[in-house]
Amino acid sequence: MKKNTILASAMVLGMIFSIPIASYANTYNKAEVKSNLVFVRTQANEDSALVSKAIQGQELFVLEEEGNWVKVKTQLGVEGYVNKNELNIKKTYEGIVTNDGVNLRLRPNIESKALSVVNNSDRVLVLEKNGEWSKVLFEGNTGYIFSKFIATEDEFKALVSRAGQRNDAEKLLIMANSLIGTPYSYGSNGPNSFDCSSFIQYTYKNALGITLPRVSKDQARAGETVSKNDLKSGDIVAFNTFGKPGSITHVGIYLSDGDFIHASSSGDGVSIDSLSQGYYSNRYITASRILK
């Protein structure tokens, strides 16, 4: 199966860059205590008086770093100094969300409870980034969102600037390819998981602002019918994967060179397959052109 290398960060295509009101510019980094017990002192030296103690695993707010010492604030608001060797400092940064309708989840998995929803241009404080999930702070809630939906401000501005230079088909395909690997889940509307028709609906809406029907058979009739030999990038291709002869049960978006992208229930989720050979070549029904 072929995988497209277009960067997932290009999901901002077609979106307008704006400066959100919320900002985390004055939010502190955090540090986790490494030793069994550390002393918080009034000054940055071993001879100064103790003002507090902290135990292993406890989190402290980092106010500033001074050589081998770190000025910290405890959860109770006590300020003082701790030797840097006793701490694991967690660098945070402000990220910008690149898509609408992104769930902020209690834990780093798609089955976890959604605490709130973040949208395009919302700013979050990225506390930790671990693979496909990032731990963030948003409007007082700490939770997890997919790392691919977060960009730095410079990345966000650059991507939006490039977006205006592409045509609709390019914007659509970059959005679609950015979702490769997203899990399949029947009835899901995205962006953390999709079924075949919600993938089509979500991609057209977020890349181009075009609202399509939710059901695959209606999507297959939403535009101008085109023949298989006349397919262009962005066309909706429709298949009969089960059911009565001629019925439409699955849809995807045509890429080029006989390939299409879709949300597959086979276990691959959003992935690329061939129209010219293999399983889908014998199950092709029709195609619909939305882009003129």
Side-chain angles (χ1 to χ4, degrees), residues 37 78 84 87 111 160 168 174 180 214 220 226-227 257 288:
L37 178 68
V78 178
K84 185 181 290 186
L87 302 173
E111 288 79 24
V160 172
D168 285 350
I174 290 174
I180 285 177
R214 176 63 175 83
V226 293
S227 69
D257 300 322
S288 177

Side-chain angles (χ1 to χ4, degrees), residues 24 104-106 114-118 124-125 127 135-145:
Y24 296 96
L104 175 68
R105 297 192 178 274
L106 181 62
L115 301 174
S116 63
V117 174
V118 293
V124 298
L125 182 69
L127 305 175
K135 185 178 182 180
V136 304
L137 173 66
F138 176 69
E139 295 185 345
N141 288 318
T142 299
Y144 296 85
I145 65 177

Side-chain angles (χ1 to χ4, degrees), residues 45-46 56 86 109 186 217 266 290:
N45 62 73
E46 296 286 354
Q56 188 176 49
E86 308 283 1
N109 62 74
Y186 180 76
K217 65 179 181 180
S266 66
I290 306 298

Side-chain angles (χ1 to χ4, degrees), residues 68-242:
N68 292 326
W69 292 83
V70 180
K71 187 176 183 180
V72 301
K73 179 189 288 186
T74 70
Q75 299 288 344
L76 297 177
V78 178
E79 295 185 12
Y81 293 84
V82 175
N83 190 296
K84 185 181 290 186
N85 294 326
E86 308 283 1
L87 302 173
N88 177 24
I89 298 176
K90 302 177 180 179
K91 298 293 184 180
T92 63
Y93 68 93
E94 188 174 67
I96 302 177
V97 177
T98 60
N99 223 340
D100 287 322
V102 179
N103 288 314
L104 175 68
R105 297 192 178 274
L106 181 62
R107 295 182 178 84
N109 62 74
I110 60 173
E111 288 79 24
S112 181
K113 176 184 177 182
L115 301 174
S116 63
V117 174
V118 293
N119 294 298
N120 172 52
S121 296
D122 282 342
R123 292 178 181 249
V124 298
L125 182 69
V126 182
L127 305 175
E128 297 176 29
K129 184 176 181 180
N130 296 312
E132 65 177 356
W133 291 93
S134 288
K135 185 178 182 180
V136 304
L137 173 66
F138 176 69
E139 295 185 345
N141 288 318
T142 299
Y144 296 85
I145 65 177
F146 276 121
S147 299
K148 66 184 178 182
F149 294 138
I150 303 173
T152 65
E153 185 162 339
D154 287 343
E155 290 170 341
F156 192 75
K157 288 179 178 179
L159 291 167
V160 172
S161 176
R162 291 198 296 270
Q165 303 172 14
R166 295 184 170 96
N167 62 37
D168 285 350
E170 289 176 317
K171 294 176 183 178
L172 183 72
L173 298 195
I174 290 174
M175 167 67 80
N177 278 284
S178 74
L179 298 171
I180 285 177
T182 304
Y184 179 93
S185 178
Y186 180 76
S188 175
N189 292 313
N192 296 327
S193 60
F194 295 100
D195 61 20
C196 69
S197 56
S198 69
F199 169 68
I200 304 291
Q201 186 183 56
Y202 182 92
T203 303
Y204 266 89
K205 179 65 176 179
N206 285 274
L208 303 174
I210 296 174
T211 301
L212 293 179
R214 176 63 175 83
V215 181
S216 57
K217 65 179 181 180
D218 295 331
Q219 292 176 354
R221 302 186 183 100
E224 174 190 353
T225 300
V226 293
S227 69
K228 191 174 184 180
N229 293 329
D230 192 35
L231 288 172
K232 293 182 179 181
S233 298
D235 289 345
I236 296 174
V237 287
F239 307 87
N240 178 18
T241 54
F242 63 87

Side-chain angles (χ1 to χ4, degrees), residues 253-268:
I253 297 174
Y254 186 71
L255 297 173
S256 63
D257 300 322
D259 290 333
F260 72 103
I261 185 169
H262 62 139
S264 171
S265 61
S266 66
D268 294 320

